[in-house]
Amino acid sequence: MKLIISGMIIKLKDLVKNCEDKQAESLRIFILIICMVFVMFFAEGFHGEKNEIIIWSIVVLFTVSLLIVFDLFDLKFYQFVFLCIIIMGCFSLFLQPILNIPDEVAHFARSEIVSRGKLFINPSQQRFETIQSLADLHEQIEKTIVESPLRGVKIDDSPYYVYHVAATNAAFLYIPQAIGMMIAKVLDLNVIWVMWLGRLANLFVYSLIVRYAIKLTRCLQFPLFFIAILPMSIQQAASLSPDAIINALAILLVAFFLRLYTKEEGMISNKEIVLFLILSILIIIAKVTNICIAGLFLLLPLQNMYEKKKAVILKVCAIIAFVFVGVTYYYYTTTFAINLEAKKYFVENSVDSGKQIQYIFSEFLQWVHRFGGSALAQSEEFINMLNRFGWLNYGYAILTPITVFMFAKVCLQEKRVIFSFLDNLLVSLMVIGTYAITVFALYVSWTSVGAIHIAGVQGRYFLPLFALLILPLCNAEYEKTISNYKNDVMVILGVVCSYLLVTVAKYY
């Protein structure tokens, strides 16, 4: 009898718990839908037309479905991350108008060139051959497929010449997009699919790399997921931009570092060291301004497998190699002929890298004061730009404070990785260095000589920096399980959904 009563009590408790879980799940869904109604209603450009309502309903339905999947299904977290990025990214790539991402015209041209097997650009070249379909798409730039006449237009492979293909970027950053374009050409699809399949392939590779990164690390999985699914991260991943691979590699390097730093089953193997070195070099070549992120090699506990002197020598040699690769690749990019599309801007705004450097040396103290003040003062502007979408011509201001708050919350509630004081200091210097180098690069290459305001900087350039910034910020004493993040997932999905909804209001 006691066993029967005990069993009934346990079942009753389970029933109550299930009811409470379902109530909590229903409340989250209700809150999410209400918030999305407010976002859509108050979004700039919303008119309540049929197209807007239909697309809004579909986007919200899929967002709610993702929340339900996280609440009820026993998916591995890395599987859920992959699903989120793919679904939200697909909405972004189809909703974003034609070539509506910064420099997507140039990235389209470069991807198409790579799709024909041309991996290297002649540094002296200023006119580049691509296909007539780019001209067809360019004529419809910032228009949606609904209002564009391109739906029935086939791919035109006849030659078309452009003056900007992001020539200094490494070719491997365009391989996914090139594969997507090749598929569209082989299947003889309409011209719009050249862009869409290029975007889709880029998104898919980004999703795979982030999925692997989340699976690889034992800790800080949720902060890495947060960086990977930020609206700006999704927009760039679901475009033809090389930012997809750049950001994914930064997330992967941080995840790989965490795995090696917290490794419990033994010493770091030589194979893992080589892989870490290769990944670090790829990040430097992908974007030289991210060279400081490769400094994570200094923090690896190599003393567990080598004597102290040998470990120090290995780290010093690695840093020398990183600097050599960075300086060499940067010098290589300076050998390229000036981008003719930017030449007019340079002349009109007195932009001259050589004269800018001369000014820095001749007025060094004045420059330090001006540059340092501008870099600090404009940081707010750069953060706000993380929620300026398309060609930086629309956004939703409330997303910025929500994003900043959630980033702090997600990091500070995460169990700290036990770094020494020196390691914490080094990571902090890497963060500062990444920010300073990025801003300085734009100051030299894009800002008027002697100007106070730094020109050309966009918030998206700092997404790899945020992946690094989570390391010193995570500071909790306890470890939360993934199931404890249900409310956080609701807010994060709501932020990404808001980006999609304001895109709908802007263009549909």
Side-chain angles (χ1 to χ4, degrees), residues 99-118:
L99 302 175
N100 196 48
I101 311 302
D103 296 324
E104 199 169 22
V105 178
H107 298 317
F108 182 103
R110 183 65 181 281
S111 301
E112 195 282 323
I113 291 171
V114 172
S115 75
R116 289 185 277 114
K118 188 173 181 179

Side-chain angles (χ1 to χ4, degrees), residues 236-433:
Q236 296 305 114
S239 73
L240 299 173
S241 172
D243 285 0
I245 304 302
I246 293 170
N247 297 337
L249 288 177
I251 291 171
L252 179 59
L253 184 68
V254 172
F256 194 17
F257 164 76
L258 288 169
R259 179 176 180 83
L260 298 183
Y261 194 88
T262 60
K263 194 170 185 180
E264 297 174 354
E265 62 268 20
M267 297 185 298
I268 301 172
S269 67
N270 290 326
K271 179 182 177 181
E272 288 171 326
I273 292 175
V274 171
L275 288 175
F276 196 94
L277 288 170
I278 293 172
L279 185 55
S280 299
I281 290 172
L282 284 177
I283 282 179
I284 295 170
I285 294 174
K287 199 160 192 176
V288 176
T289 53
N290 291 327
I291 187 172
C292 289
I293 300 176
L296 288 172
F297 190 86
L298 287 173
L299 277 64
L300 292 179
L302 300 183
Q303 63 276 9
N304 294 339
M305 57 183 301
Y306 302 116
E307 60 182 30
K308 185 176 180 180
K309 183 178 179 180
K310 190 174 181 180
V312 170
I313 292 174
L314 180 59
K315 290 182 178 182
V316 170
C317 289
I319 296 303
I320 292 173
F322 295 155
V323 172
F324 175 78
V325 170
V327 171
T328 302
Y329 193 79
Y330 174 75
Y331 176 75
Y332 168 69
T333 62
T334 63
T335 63
F336 280 76
I338 189 171
N339 171 9
L340 292 180
E341 287 189 3
K343 187 174 182 179
K344 183 179 178 182
Y345 168 85
F346 292 159
V347 173
E348 291 178 351
N349 294 275
S350 302
V351 177
D352 187 309
S353 298
K355 291 181 179 179
Q356 189 76 287
I357 292 173
Q358 289 178 6
Y359 162 72
I360 292 172
F361 282 111
S362 62
E363 303 288 344
F364 184 71
L365 293 179
Q366 182 188 64
W367 172 78
V368 168
H369 177 73
R370 286 184 173 184
F371 176 77
S374 297
L376 291 175
Q378 289 182 243
S379 59
E380 179 184 0
E381 173 189 338
F382 304 151
I383 293 173
N384 286 328
M385 290 174 72
L386 283 172
N387 288 301
R388 298 295 301 174
F389 308 113
W391 285 92
L392 306 179
N393 58 354
Y394 76 100
Y396 206 54
I398 190 62
L399 294 183
T400 298
I402 294 174
T403 302
V404 172
F405 171 79
M406 286 303 299
F407 179 68
K409 180 179 184 296
V410 165
C411 290
L412 294 176
Q413 71 189 10
E414 196 79 16
K415 185 177 180 180
R416 66 165 62 97
V417 178
I418 307 301
F419 288 138
S420 67
F421 173 79
L422 178 59
D423 286 351
N424 268 318
L425 178 62
L426 286 174
V427 174
S428 300
L429 290 175
M430 290 174 208
V431 171
I432 295 170

